[in-house]
Structures are given as structure tokens and as C-alpha cells.
Amino acid sequence: MTVVVDNCSKWYGHVLGVSDVSWQLRGGIVGLLGPNGAGKSTLIKMMAGLLRPSRGSLTVFGKSPFHDVAVRRRIGYAPEHEKTWDELTALELVTVMARLAGVAPHDARGAAERALAQMGMTDAMHRRVRGFSKGMRQRTKLATAIAHDPDFLLLDEPLTGVDPIARVDIVERIRKLAAAGKTVVVSSHVLYEIESLTSEIVVIYRGQVLAEGNVYEIRKLIDRHPHRIRVECDRPRDIAAELATADHVARIVFERGGVLIETRDPDRCYDALAQVVIDRGIVVSALSSPDNNLGAVFEYLTGESRGRA
Amino acid sequence: MTDDAAVAREPLIVLERLTKRYGTIIALDGVNAIVDGQVIGLLGPNGAGKSTLLKALLGLIPYQGRARVLGLDAAEHGTSIRDRVGYMPEQEAFLAGMNAVEQCTYAGELSGLPRTEAMQRAHAALYYAGLEEKRYQPIDGYSTGMKQRVKLAQALVHDPEILFLDEPTNGLDPRSRDEMLELITELPGRRNCAIVLSTHLLPDVERICDQAVIMHKGRVRFVGTIDELRGARGSTALAIELKADAAQLAEVLTAAGATCAVDSAVTLTVTLPAGSTTQLVFRHARDAGLQVRSIGVHRQTVEAAFLRVIGDESAQVAP
Amino acid sequence: MTDHRVPGSLETVMTIAALTWKRLARGRALWVGVIISSLLVPFASAVRSSGNAGTGEELIMFALLTLAVVPPMFVSSSIGEEIEERTTTYLWSRPVPRWTVLAGKLATLVPVTIVLAVGSWSLAMLVGPQRPPSPESCLALAAGVTAISMMAAGIATLVPKHGMPLSICYMLFFDLPIGAMPISLSELSITHHVYTLTGMFRDGATMPRSLLALAILCAVWGTVAIWRIRRLEV
Amino acid sequence: MSDAPVPARPAGTIHDLGYKRYGGARLAASTRWLVIMRQQVAHGWKTWWRFKAALGLGVIVTFVAGGVMFLLQDRAVKGVVLPEGIAATLTDATLPRAMQWYSRVAFLVSLTIGARVVAGDVQSGAFTFYFARSVRPRDYVLGKLAGMCALIAMIYVGGPLLLAIARLGLSDSTDELIAILPVIPKALAMGMLGTLAFAAVPLGFSALVHNPRYAMALWATYYLIVGGMAWVLSRITDSGIAALDLAASLDRIAYYLFDLQVVWGRSKRIDPALALGSVLAHAAAAIALVIYQVRRAHLSGIGGAS
């Protein structure tokens, strides 16, 4: 078990960061999702040993990262903020960080070069960080996190502010790290960034773990709340006639070129719909649901799915 | 403002051979473009020349060639343009120790509004941006989302005709992002104000922009509508989403003669064999015990289109 | 590479010291420090060229005044800015004890400031009164730099944002005035002990006693700084 | 009557709260500096530590000086004599003597506010805020300078003016009152000169380096150490180099304006004309530096580091 969080809370003065979280992390890539101020960074910083839990315990590889110096050797952390030691070149920065992490002095420069190469920064590594774009800063931060070959990576918002070309590239590189056997925690508040990276997510909301696990498993939760399904087809009346009596259908509205079905049990409704389509040989040109996407899951989970027009 | 009608007919932005060099670096390389529309996405990777273009349009830097904004020449009428343009910067640009109302009032006054008018509009802009209760608290203690709202409000306060937004949704969670995008989309209708949106989050562009300008290496690579960018012309492929296991459906459909590409664990793109309909999909799905959740015409995402435009060095679309 | 080696304390101190030096040399702080410290030399030379050799008494006064500005500037920029800009997150996430970071920074800043202070003082003595500076005076300045740096480190960890103005105010409005007092309160004054150590002014206190007092002051401020930095979060 | 029916007043109305375009004229760009000035004053006024504490000290100085003036009217002052060679009394000498205390208070303000202005704005990204609007570099410089002047004038003009009025009140006869009436313009002139010095020079230092900490250190060094050195040098060499010491120069000008001869003290060695020249040259150099730096910032304009 890489991380064990047990009844852990963290306050800053009177402000609550994380509230009574119990959670375990085994391995692989995990996406840490949640709105701004939900406690993602607090949790990551506690795992990185920057913060001490106010109550409860949090261990990484069985040790407390705040108190146990040695266990931080196995952690690689890339912070959220942009500031670094801008006077240094990327190579110097990563070399220093590698040395502080315990890479032997004669090996540190080589390790830093390898880490920067892994992040696609070989060409720019002799330039000062001051002039870097956001994408290059993110890559440099990631290089500092991996230079000492840690087993456990904590990446706080590594994709924020990165242009699309760089993002595709960075996502690919993070996946490679996970494929090499590292445990990776990536936080983000933009869902689609995480979607391209992993399907294992943890949703943090109001300082608590709201949901965890495979995103598609979590998505099943969505079937608990009403759905609207829009079907565009050649014979909408046939569908309406067939489904009108089903107990899971709440309402059927005809629209131009199709029909909108409101259901209380999406899972059954989709099956029933497919059966009707097949039985009656209806040609469906489009099938969609505004409530059936990860954004909707996210909103549903965070409790306040707002009324849509 | 007697020539309002004349101004209205002029495109928002007209660029002719616009060139800017910093020493040996060419930031803008003879850019020609006519940009008009309501919500315009300005796209490009870092270093494409977007911020240099903005500076030129606001009349802040000298340049070669011509740039006209709202019918005014940027080199000559920089200050009048800046009075009629709102700019929401990407980075924090707050003055220490001020609350949101003071900041916005000050912004309005700096754009030439009388003090009382500026105060009134500051409150209106903050209401609009959704900062009713918090507007008397110091900005230093604001969350990222609230700071973005203040930045939007201060860009709106002086009643601009064009609004330049630099990464307005950066660092926002999905709900705040939705709200911010909604605010932005309502602006052209409610305030009669055109938007130029510069962002790296292409789904945002897809959602709210009607026009796109793509820049790369100091040149404009594309100007046109989002649909033109995506090239929605006559694609026959279908985008299908399942409850689970797209790979399995791909297997059976391929066996049935369709061309399939699995996009993720639950989505795939399918080109059906000639003469068959979605019946084929439904049947095979049911037989394999799979549930179809969505079917639609496969449209290239703006992201893919963007990568194509940037990647294709020769695809320079002249306006 | 998977041997999970943790760096030794000395190694960390040296790494941090090298890092601090690189940042100092490339930023503007070093030049600002050099300019402020070296003001002493043209002053001495001007005094000299006016035909007035002097004994260096006025020089040591100004040397002490520069000490009230330069070490607080170096130390509070290096520590305070790091805390304020949250680059400490890089350091605290590494497998190193926190005191080593403080020690590493001081291991660069204190010698650099000593070199600046003693260097400009020696140069000023050679240019002005045209005699080598006494070893006692150099030692006194070095001890003064150390003590003031420790004080600045303590204040910078306590109040990261306003470390520098507070340290300067401490020197100007507390340390210097109480140092001039004839009563035993002056034992608390760093500048008082530095004056004593130079051996240029006789006022009863013996030099070993002043050294001891400075060592105690260093220890107190050092304890404050280490205590604070261990508790510091983020 | 029925030909012209009065339109029926509706029983209820929903007002359109929709957006109203701003139809009024925009103020000319040349008025922006006033806005910036007001903001600078408001900023200084905001918390206790920035300005009000110093203002309190200024008030204390004024009260103490006024009290001394009143209670010890006839006590002679060491070190200064009237032009006729008669020892000056505190009645005449208090006002010029108080100037050095006002200088100390003004230095405090310049250190806590003035020396951080430009550097702080560079660091916080405020230039983006200014230059994305119709603010030209000269508006910014003028506004900030005027703002700092306004703050310091509250101490440096207000205090002496009150003391001058007190001096008038202490006159024994109408004739004397008329004879000493010029203290008012003299106090004003003195105050304005000092205000200019303590507003402009730290502003110049704040434009010198992009870090408020270094700017503060440099300004403090210049004012305290360089000034002290210049003074020591001028004592040794018997030259006017002490004019580099802003505090001493201002002091000297005060004594000159109020017709007092300095027999000993810091400002003895400075020729009044030299002192005036030095203060004006300092201010001019500082303003030139600020203009140069702000223009550069304006050209690099808004946005990132491209």
C-alpha cells in the first residue's frame, strides 16, 4: 500500500483544508479531481510531507512523510505554483533537486539530463528558467519530480496553462512513467485533462473524499438520477408508443425529427430503447443525452447539478 | 459617436502586413487578416505571437504594417482604442490591498469614466460577474475563481466594445468554468460587445466561439468559422458511446464489415459498410450484451482540427 | 539508482550553499550589497585626499551602519522571499532535515557578507588611514555580520513578508540606541559588542566577554529560526 | 376632452434593468494623473502602518514645537544667530529647527511607501493593469509623484504652516505681526521644497531596481549612510559636499529662509544656493529615472515575457 490516510484532517487556523479523510492508494495513475478549494492541494502536500495533519494519520510507504525524512526519498513532488529559482538553468535546477533528493554527486547531473530528456527538454536545458513558457515550466517541474527516480509521484495540476500541443505530449510522458511502474497522483480540476490520462479517479469535495475508483464504475452512479435521452430517427411515434407504458419512463416529448425521453432508470431505458429500435427496424440517426457525460457525473457528485435551460 | 453606423460596418480588426521584430526574433511575420464576429477564439501554442498581436492592437508597441481596431489605426489612436477595448489579463494584475469594488472603480476611472459613473458601473460589473457579497473583501484573500471574476469585471467596467480575454477559465473547476463561459457568451447579446478569447482549453472554444483565428510562429494560419475549422462537411463516420467495453463492439462490428477505431474504453468511431444503417450497431451491440448510450455524426474536435492546422506547415489559409 | 540513498547533512548544507551562491550571484542582490558595502572605500579615499588621515574611527561607524542594511537584505531576501513565493515546497519535499536548508543559506550568505564587510573595511583602511586594519577589527566585523545575519534569519522566519524593514528598524532603532546606553542593557546590543571587539574604544568590557555575548545572541536567534522553520508549513 | 384621452397610467410596471451603454463623454487622457494621484493617497491612507503612524508623529512634532515656541519664547538658542549677530530666541528659531524633525517623519513615509511604488507595481503586475487602459507613461509618473507629494505635504507643508501661524499669533503688536507676515510664504516654500525631495527621490530609487526590498535598502543607504558620509567629509574638508545630504540641505535652506545664521551644526558648511541646487538636482534626476523606466515598462506592455 503506497498511501494510507486514516481519519485525517487538516486546518489552517480556522480554515478547513481536509476533513476526516480515510483513503488508501495502491498504485497506478490516479486522478485527483475536485473544484477549487476542495482540498486537493492540501492532500497532495500532506502526502509530500509539506504539511502535518492536524488530526489523524497519513503514511506513505508506512512512514509519516512530514516527520520521516528518509521516506521523502521515494516521493517526487511537482508543486502547483509556477515560481521556481528562476536564476538557474533548467539543468542546474533539476541537478540541485536531484542532489537534495540523495542522488550521488557524481551522478546527479546525468540523472538530471536524463529526467529532462524524458520530459522533452533536452534542447532548452541550458536556458534559464526565467524565460520559460508555462509548458516548459511544467516540464521542468516534472523533471525535478522524477530526477531521483522516486516510486511515488505527486503532480499538482501539471497540465494547467499548457498549450494543447504540449498537453498531449506531457500526458503521454506521464503515462510512460506509470507504465514504468510508478504510482502517480495527478490533480486537476479540468475533467478532460484527466480523462486522457487515467480512468482511476478520486473526487475530493469540501475536504472529503466523495468518490473513488474507476471513472466508469463511478459513472454508474449517474444511473441513479433522472436522464433525458434524445433520439433522432425516422419514426419517433413508434418509439413513443412502445415506451409510453414503461414504468421507468417519466415523460416523452416530441421534437423536430425525433423524441426526447425522460427516464428515472437510464440503464433499463437504454436497453428498452435498443430493443424497440431493433424490433421495429427504426433507423436512428442520432442518440444523445445531455446528462450522460463525465461532466454530468462530476456535477452530480458535487451535489449541485444546476437546472439546465 | 456620430459615426456609429460607419464604425459598425467596419470589421473589428483589420491587419495588413503587420510585422513586429524584437531584435532578430520575428514575433509577427507580415500578418494579413480581417477578423469579425461575435465570439472569436484566438488560438495558438505558446510563442505563436498572440500576446504580441494583442499589444500591437492596443497600440502599446510600435510595429510595421497596418493594424486597425474598430476602424481606428492602432499606432495613432492607441489611447482611444484602449478606452473602447477591455482587456482581461492572464496573470494577476491587481493592486495591493484593494478590494474588488475599489479595483473596478479605479479601472473605470483610468478609462476615462467620471468617478460616480465608474462607481456605479463597478458595482454593475461585479454583479454581472457574480461577486455580489464578496465585493468589499480584499482581493488578496480571493480564490482563483473569484480572482478571475474580478478580472472579468474590471475589463467590463468601462463599457468596452471589444473584450480581449486571456485564458479566462484557467485554473477554474468545471462549475466555475461553466459559469464563466456562460457569462462570456451572454456578453455580445447583453452588452453588445465582441469577444476575443485567447485560450489553451480548446473545448471552451468549441463551446462558445463562432469564429477562430489560429496563429503559429508569427503568422495567421486560419481565419474562419468553427465549422469551417472542423470541416464538418459530409463525414460519414459515427461516434458511438457505450456503457462499457468499446473494444468488444469494435471487434464484432469489424467482423460485420465496418471500419472501427476505439477512442477510449467506452467510445469508438465507426464507418458503417455501404447500405447499412445504425440498425447494424444496435443489433450487434445487443447480441454482445452491450448498451449503446449515444450515437452521433463523428465531428473532428476543435483540438484535432487545431493540431492539424498547426502541424500542416503548408496549410496557410489566406483571408 | 533505486538504492534510496538519503543525502548526508553536510552534503545537503553544501548543496544548498552552492545553490544560494548561484542565485545570489545571478540576481541583483549581490550587486546591491557590493555597492552598499563598498561605499566605505570612496569615502575613505575622499577623507584621505582632504589631507586628513584619520584613525578609522569614523570608518568603523559607517561600516557598522552598512551592516545594519546589507545582512538583513541578503538574509531576508533569501529566506523571506523563498517562503513568500512558496519555493520552499521544493525544498521541504526533499529528504533533508529543515535546519540544513537554513544552515546552507547562512553558510553562503554569512561568508559573502563577511568578505564584503571586511574587504571594504580593509580596503578603506588601506586607502584612507593607509595602514592595515587590525585583526581585532576584522574579527569584530566578522562576528558582527554573523550575529546580525542570525538576527535577520530569526526575524525573516518569524515575519517572512516584512523581514527586511523589521530587521533594519531593529538595528537602527533598537540595537544602535541601546548600544549607546551606559547601562547593562547595552549587553543586548550587537553593535555595542562589535565596537568593543574592534579594540578601538575602551569602555570596560573585555573582548572575550563580548565574544561570549555575541555567541549567546547568535544562539538565541538561531534557535528561534530553527524552531520556526521546523514548524513552518508550505 | 374625449379627443385627447389621457393615456391610462398602468397599474404596475416592470422596469427594464437591462444594460445601458455608456453615452457620456470620456474624460480626456490628460486627466488620468488625477485619478492615479487620488488612488495613491487613498492607498497610503488605508492602513495604520503606511501613513497614519507617520502623520501622527508629524502632529506630535507640530505640537511639541508649538509648545516650545509658546512656553520658552525668550530662551536663546545655541548655534544660530540672527543676521545682526544677536542670539536667536526660540520664537524665531523653532520653525526652522523643527524642519529636521519633519524630515525624519517624511523619511519614514518615503521608506514605507515611496521607495516601493514603482518596484512594487512591477512586481505585482500592476503595469499591465495601467497600460491596458488609456494611461500614458507620463500620466503614471505625474500621478504617482503628485500622490506622494500630497501625502508628504500633509506633514511637510501642513506642519510648518501651522507653526508659522502660531508664530504670527505670538507677535506682540500689529506692527510686529505685519513685519513677520512673510513667515507664511516662507513656510510654504520650505514645505513644498521638502515635499518634492521626499516624494521624488525615493520614487527614483523605487524605479532603480525591480525589487522593493532592494529599492528600500538603496534609498535607506543613500539617505542615511551616503548623507552621513557627505556630512563628515564636508566637516573634514570644509567643503560644500554635505549638500549631498538631503536632510542637511533642507535644514540649511530652512535657516536661510528664516534669516538665521548657523554658527555650528550639521548644515553649517552648505551654501544655501548649493543646498537648493542639490535638492532640485536630486528631484530632477529621480524623476528622469522614473520616466525612463516607466517608458520601458510601457513598451514591453501587457502580458507575458515575450
Side-chain angles (χ1 to χ4, degrees):
Chain A
M1 204 62 75
T2 311
V3 181
V4 179
V5 185
D6 194 17
N7 294 107
C8 184
S9 297
K10 176 71 198 170
W11 299 280
Y12 306 92
H14 289 287
V15 181
L16 189 65
V18 158
S19 169
D20 199 26
V21 166
S22 295
W23 173 64
Q24 298 187 339
L25 171 62
R26 210 173 291 274
I29 307 188
V30 176
L32 204 54
L33 285 164
N36 299 117
K40 299 186 300 282
S41 283
T42 305
L43 190 58
I44 286 195
K45 281 173 185 162
M46 282 200 288
M47 290 192 274
L50 300 172
L51 298 176
R52 175 180 36 188
S54 307
R55 213 174 67 187
S57 78
L58 179 148
T59 57
V60 176
F61 301 117
K63 304 268 174 51
S64 156
F66 188 85
H67 296 288
D68 191 298
V69 168
V71 75
R72 294 207 289 266
R73 170 64 183 82
R74 298 177 65 188
I75 302 172
Y77 168 66
E80 173 190 9
H81 59 79
E82 270 187 43
K83 291 266 170 63
T84 55
W85 302 309
D86 287 356
E87 300 87 350
L88 305 187
T89 66
L91 181 60
E92 287 168 337
L93 178 69
V94 180
T95 308
V96 165
M97 294 303 287
R99 289 201 56 181
L100 289 176
V103 177
H106 58 271
D107 200 29
R109 195 186 152 97
E113 278 173 359
R114 283 194 296 279
L116 283 161
Q118 236 176 315
M119 283 299 142
M121 286 286 293
T122 306
D123 293 338
M125 69 185 184
H126 294 293
R127 280 169 49 193
R128 298 220 181 147
V129 181
R130 186 180 297 283
F132 277 9
S133 68
K134 277 193 176 170
M136 292 161 85
R137 279 173 185 271
Q138 294 284 23
R139 288 162 194 260
T140 311
K141 279 198 288 188
L142 290 175
T144 63
I146 61 169
H148 53 292
D149 194 22
D151 305 319
F152 178 36
L153 285 171
L154 288 160
L155 313 178
D156 203 351
E157 308 259 0
L159 299 171
T160 296
V162 170
D163 73 50
I165 297 175
R167 194 181 60 241
V168 171
D169 185 59
I170 291 177
V171 162
E172 201 41 52
R173 290 174 195 278
I174 294 175
R175 285 166 81 146
K176 269 186 199 150
L177 290 171
K182 298 189 192 309
T183 304
V184 186
V185 172
V186 181
S187 84
S188 176
H189 45 240
V190 182
L191 202 60
Y192 88 98
E193 288 180 354
I194 292 290
E195 269 184 292
S196 56
L197 200 55
T198 178
S199 56
E200 281 298 310
I201 62 167
V202 176
V203 179
I204 308 276
Y205 187 60
R206 292 188 179 155
Q208 287 173 305
V209 173
L210 187 65
E212 56 181 305
N214 186 296
V215 73
Y216 303 110
E217 293 299 315
I218 291 176
R219 204 178 65 154
K220 286 181 182 163
L221 294 170
I222 206 173
D223 290 351
R224 282 195 213 141
H225 79 132
H227 252 52
R228 287 162 296 169
I229 302 167
R230 182 174 289 121
V231 190
E232 287 174 37
C233 58
D234 53 350
R235 282 171 285 146
R237 294 200 171 271
D238 285 12
I239 293 178
E242 199 72 40
L243 290 178
T245 52
D247 59 344
H248 51 78
V249 172
R251 203 156 73 101
I252 297 180
V253 183
F254 287 101
E255 294 185 330
R256 185 206 293 249
V259 62
L260 182 77
I261 305 159
E262 282 186 28
T263 172
R264 281 183 288 269
D265 188 345
D267 197 41
R268 281 170 62 201
C269 189
Y270 277 114
D271 281 338
L273 184 66
Q275 200 59 50
V276 175
V277 167
I278 294 164
D279 290 350
R280 297 226 175 178
I282 296 167
V283 177
V284 174
S285 55
L287 173 71
S288 62
S289 166
D291 302 313
N292 188 45
N293 58 55
L294 285 181
V297 178
F298 195 76
E299 272 189 20
Y300 173 65
L301 287 175
T302 52
E304 289 173 45
S305 64
R306 297 162 305 131
R308 282 159 189 273
Chain B
M1 304 271 158
T2 47
D3 53 351
D4 242 12
V7 169
R9 258 181 266 117
E10 176 107 16
L12 291 179
I13 296 164
V14 181
L15 310 173
E16 287 168 30
R17 298 184 313 283
L18 180 63
T19 303
K20 175 66 193 173
R21 291 191 187 84
Y22 292 106
T24 54
I25 301 160
I26 300 174
L28 292 174
D29 190 3
V31 174
N32 289 303
I34 296 171
V35 183
D36 210 353
Q38 286 205 312
V39 184
I40 301 147
L42 178 58
L43 315 176
N46 287 322
K50 289 177 295 176
S51 59
T52 308
L53 177 64
L54 275 187
K55 287 177 204 176
L57 292 178
L58 291 174
L60 291 170
I61 49 168
Y63 54 80
Q64 284 106 53
R66 260 155 57 89
R68 290 171 71 78
V69 180
L70 293 166
L72 295 170
D73 191 280
E76 283 172 42
H77 302 289
T79 49
S80 349
I81 288 176
R82 277 178 267 151
D83 274 345
R84 294 167 63 184
V85 167
Y87 174 65
M88 174 177 171
E90 179 188 0
Q91 71 277 41
E92 286 184 14
F94 298 121
L95 303 167
M98 280 178 121
N99 68 33
V101 173
E102 288 166 334
Q103 180 99 23
C104 289
T105 310
Y106 189 36
E109 285 185 88
L110 287 178
S111 289
L113 299 183
R115 185 164 172 78
T116 47
E117 184 73 28
M119 284 220 264
Q120 210 168 327
R121 281 184 182 268
H123 284 277
L126 287 165
Y127 271 126
Y128 184 78
L131 277 171
E132 294 91 354
E133 308 96 17
K134 304 278 176 70
R135 63 189 193 275
Y136 299 111
Q137 292 173 10
I139 295 174
D140 309 336
Y142 278 15
S143 67
T144 318
M146 282 155 73
K147 282 184 180 169
Q148 295 284 32
R149 284 161 188 270
V150 181
K151 284 200 275 178
L152 179 69
Q154 64 89 21
L156 276 176
V157 69
H158 58 291
D159 191 20
E161 290 157 57
I162 307 184
L163 202 54
F164 288 111
L165 305 173
D166 205 349
E167 301 277 358
T169 55
N170 220 356
L172 296 184
D173 60 61
R175 187 176 312 135
S176 319
R177 188 160 147 241
D178 278 348
E179 284 166 5
M180 179 59 82
L181 290 177
E182 237 162 71
L183 287 177
I184 295 169
T185 31
E186 281 173 11
L187 279 170
R190 287 181 54 174
R191 298 203 160 199
N192 192 20
C193 156
I195 309 264
V196 177
L197 173 75
S198 163
T199 184
H200 291 322
L201 295 171
L202 297 177
D204 287 1
V205 174
E206 201 157 0
R207 260 174 69 179
I208 69 167
C209 293
D210 48 29
Q211 296 273 321
V213 178
I214 297 182
M215 296 189 68
H216 189 44
K217 294 184 178 163
R219 286 169 174 269
V220 167
R221 286 293 168 82
F222 176 88
V223 183
T225 64
I226 296 289
D227 285 338
E228 282 167 19
L229 173 64
R230 272 201 293 230
R233 47 183 188 275
S235 165
T236 52
L238 294 173
I240 294 173
E241 189 184 340
L242 301 174
K243 187 179 171 190
D245 216 352
Q248 198 190 337
L249 183 67
E251 213 172 282
V252 291
L253 284 180
T254 308
T259 316
C260 299
V262 177
D263 299 325
S264 80
V266 293
T267 54
L268 67 166
T269 308
V270 178
T271 309
L272 295 172
S276 54
T277 67
T278 48
Q279 277 285 323
L280 184 77
V281 178
F282 278 107
R283 280 181 196 285
H284 282 98
R286 185 195 54 183
D287 295 347
L290 299 168
Q291 193 184 74
V292 179
R293 288 249 158 151
S294 136
I295 295 180
V297 175
H298 173 77
R299 286 151 65 96
Q300 195 178 23
T301 60
V302 168
E303 176 145 355
F306 172 78
L307 293 174
R308 174 176 54 80
V309 170
I310 297 295
D312 188 1
E313 293 287 337
S314 60
Q316 193 177 351
V317 182
Chain C
M1 278 241 306
T2 44
D3 55 349
H4 295 158
R5 174 180 170 276
V6 170
S9 294
L10 186 66
E11 189 187 335
T12 309
V13 171
M14 297 305 286
T15 311
I16 300 274
L19 169 71
T20 309
W21 167 247
K22 238 178 224 168
R23 297 189 60 207
L24 192 68
R26 290 182 189 171
R28 296 236 172 115
L30 186 60
W31 295 112
V32 176
V34 167
I35 288 168
I36 295 176
S37 305
S38 61
L39 280 174
L40 217 53
V41 181
F43 174 65
S45 130
V47 170
R48 172 82 201 171
S49 63
S50 69
N52 190 323
T55 55
E57 280 172 33
E58 267 147 5
L59 282 180
I60 198 77
M61 184 182 84
F62 285 114
L64 267 177
L65 267 178
T66 60
L67 285 197
V69 177
V70 179
M73 188 183 75
F74 279 163
V75 174
S76 65
S77 309
S78 180
I79 295 175
E81 243 162 57
E82 192 120 38
I83 295 172
E84 225 182 308
E85 298 188 345
R86 295 190 293 165
T87 40
T88 40
T89 49
Y90 286 102
L91 295 169
W92 303 158
S93 66
R94 302 285 123 170
V96 297
R98 293 191 172 190
W99 66 266
T100 54
V101 172
L102 202 64
K105 283 178 178 295
L106 290 174
T108 290
L109 296 175
V110 171
V112 166
T113 320
I114 289 177
V115 167
L116 286 182
V118 174
S120 60
W121 161 248
S122 310
L123 217 57
M125 281 302 280
L126 291 172
V127 169
Q130 295 204 331
R131 58 172 182 224
S134 67
E136 292 94 335
S137 63
C138 292
L139 173 82
L141 284 175
V145 167
T146 313
I148 296 171
S149 299
M150 294 303 275
M151 180 275 296
I155 291 184
T157 48
L158 283 172
V159 196
K161 205 167 180 182
H162 305 292
M164 189 175 105
L166 277 178
S167 307
I168 293 181
C169 286
Y170 176 91
M171 290 303 294
L172 290 181
F173 301 120
F174 180 76
D175 201 282
L176 281 164
I178 65 161
M181 285 180 184
I183 46 175
S184 58
L185 211 59
S186 61
E187 294 293 331
L188 285 175
S189 162
I190 297 171
T191 39
H192 166 77
H193 295 300
V194 176
Y195 269 126
T196 309
L197 283 176
T198 57
M200 295 164 102
F201 311 87
R202 290 169 186 280
D203 63 349
T206 55
M207 295 214 291
R209 190 177 145 173
S210 280
L211 266 183
L212 180 70
L214 279 183
I216 292 172
L217 283 171
C218 280
V220 169
W221 282 112
T223 315
V224 168
I226 288 175
W227 171 76
R228 267 299 287 180
I229 213 151
R230 277 170 64 102
R231 297 187 54 85
L232 211 67
E233 296 185 304
V234 180
Chain D
M1 249 169 71
S2 59
D3 290 344
V6 178
R9 194 186 169 80
T13 329
I14 293 173
H15 292 284
D16 179 18
L17 292 182
Y19 185 72
K20 289 185 200 74
R21 188 115 244 166
Y22 177 62
R26 292 186 195 269
L27 301 175
S30 55
T31 60
R32 298 290 186 273
W33 70 273
L34 284 167
V35 176
I36 296 174
M37 175 184 100
R38 192 171 51 213
Q39 195 274 334
Q40 183 65 39
V41 173
H43 170 75
W45 195 255
K46 217 161 199 180
T47 60
W48 273 101
W49 290 110
R50 281 194 208 115
F51 180 69
K52 284 185 194 161
L55 185 64
L57 289 178
V59 169
I60 292 172
V61 169
T62 309
F63 266 94
V64 170
V68 165
M69 221 179 200
F70 181 70
L71 295 172
L72 308 170
Q73 298 185 27
D74 301 326
R75 188 77 58 85
V77 187
K78 276 189 277 178
V80 286
V81 294
L82 293 172
E84 306 87 53
I86 314 160
T89 61
L90 275 170
T91 319
D92 296 311
T94 301
L95 179 45
R97 290 217 108 189
M99 291 319 289
Q100 57 173 297
W101 287 98
Y102 287 121
S103 289
R104 269 166 221 183
V105 178
F107 170 68
L108 214 62
V109 177
S110 73
L111 198 64
T112 51
I113 308 178
R116 329 180 48 122
V117 173
V118 180
D121 275 351
V122 168
Q123 225 177 29
S124 73
F127 275 122
T128 298
F129 178 82
Y130 284 109
F131 295 140
R133 304 184 175 277
S134 49
V135 176
R136 296 160 302 177
R138 68 192 111 144
D139 302 325
Y140 175 86
V141 176
L142 189 59
K144 289 290 183 186
L145 188 63
M148 284 313 297
C149 279
L151 283 175
I152 289 173
M154 280 187 233
I155 294 165
Y156 216 99
V157 176
L161 205 57
L162 282 176
L163 287 182
I165 292 168
R167 173 69 192 89
L168 290 182
L170 287 175
S171 49
D172 298 326
S173 61
T174 323
D175 290 343
E176 193 194 341
L177 180 80
I178 291 165
I180 59 169
L181 211 50
V183 291
I184 298 275
K186 281 175 183 174
L188 267 181
M190 188 57 230
M192 277 161 23
L193 189 68
T195 300
L196 178 69
F198 281 106
V201 182
L203 212 58
F205 276 95
S206 81
L208 198 61
V209 279
H210 282 183
N211 182 322
R213 285 174 216 256
Y214 306 160
M216 253 161 67
L218 283 173
W219 164 234
T221 305
Y222 186 80
Y223 186 82
L224 296 171
I225 301 179
V226 176
M229 285 175 170
W231 172 63
V232 170
L233 271 181
S234 95
R235 197 189 63 203
I236 296 170
T237 59
D238 204 17
S239 71
I241 193 170
L244 277 180
D245 185 351
L246 276 174
S249 288
L250 287 169
D251 232 20
R252 182 69 193 93
I253 297 168
Y255 286 125
Y256 174 77
L257 270 178
F258 289 92
D259 293 326
L260 295 173
Q261 284 181 3
V262 185
V263 178
W264 57 265
R266 223 175 179 184
S267 49
K268 189 179 71 174
R269 327 233 158 229
I270 316 169
D271 182 60
L274 189 64
L276 180 67
S278 158
V279 171
L280 292 179
H282 271 98
I287 292 171
L289 180 66
V290 178
I291 291 176
Y292 171 72
Q293 294 282 37
V294 173
R295 271 179 190 281
R296 272 184 48 184
H298 182 256
L299 270 188
S300 68
I302 53 169
S306 59

